[in-house]
């Protein structure tokens, strides 16, 4: 947004602009963290040090930032879904 556009916009437009820029920078920050985590894992593998498989040490450190990505997704099957799955197994 240019300064001249800033003075001519409404509060709502400004709020949407700031909110979208904030979410974009947060997504970029998350992507960089994941990239550096992968790079760190590759370096650790090259060095030969053992680490637990399937555990992201960086994502666990930044739990508050990755709340949506780390929350477990449990889906309880309905009886109809169970019947459908069992019938498809025949």
């Amino acid at each position: 947004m240019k300064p001249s556009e800033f003075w001519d916009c409404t509060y709502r437009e400004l709020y949407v602009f700031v909110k979208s820029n904030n979410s974009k920078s947060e997504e970029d920050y998350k992507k960089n963290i994941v990239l550096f985590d992968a790079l760190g894992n590759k370096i650790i593998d090259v060095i030969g040090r053992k680490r637990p498989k399937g555990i992201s040490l960086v994502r666990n450190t930044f739990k508050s930032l990755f709340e949506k990505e780390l929350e477990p997704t449990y889906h309880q099957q309905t009886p109809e879904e169970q019947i459908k799955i069992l019938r498809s197994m025949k």
Side-chain angles (χ1 to χ4, degrees):
M1 179 178 285
K2 297 176 185 175
S4 61
E5 294 172 349
F6 172 79
W7 292 112
D8 294 334
C9 72
T10 63
Y11 175 78
R12 185 178 190 154
E13 292 170 339
L14 184 61
Y15 179 79
V16 170
F17 175 76
V18 171
K19 189 84 166 163
S20 64
N21 276 347
N22 187 27
S23 64
K24 182 184 176 296
S25 67
E26 185 176 314
E27 287 299 318
D28 290 343
Y29 187 59
K30 286 182 185 180
K31 285 179 186 177
N32 283 336
I33 289 173
V34 171
L35 178 68
F36 291 132
D37 183 33
L39 177 65
N41 290 339
K42 290 290 185 185
I43 291 172
I44 289 172
D45 289 341
V46 167
I47 292 173
R49 218 169 98 196
K50 298 286 183 183
R51 67 169 185 80
K53 294 286 181 183
I55 297 175
S56 176
L57 303 176
V58 172
R59 287 188 188 181
N60 290 340
T61 304
F62 292 98
K63 282 183 183 177
S64 62
L65 186 61
F66 288 98
E67 285 176 1
K68 293 178 187 172
E69 289 85 356
L70 291 177
E71 69 184 23
T73 55
Y74 296 112
H75 173 70
Q76 189 171 7
Q77 290 181 344
T78 63
E80 291 82 18
E81 290 175 328
Q82 291 176 355
I83 291 170
K84 183 179 177 182
I85 291 171
L86 290 173
R87 286 186 180 161
S88 68
M89 295 172 93
K90 288 185 180 181

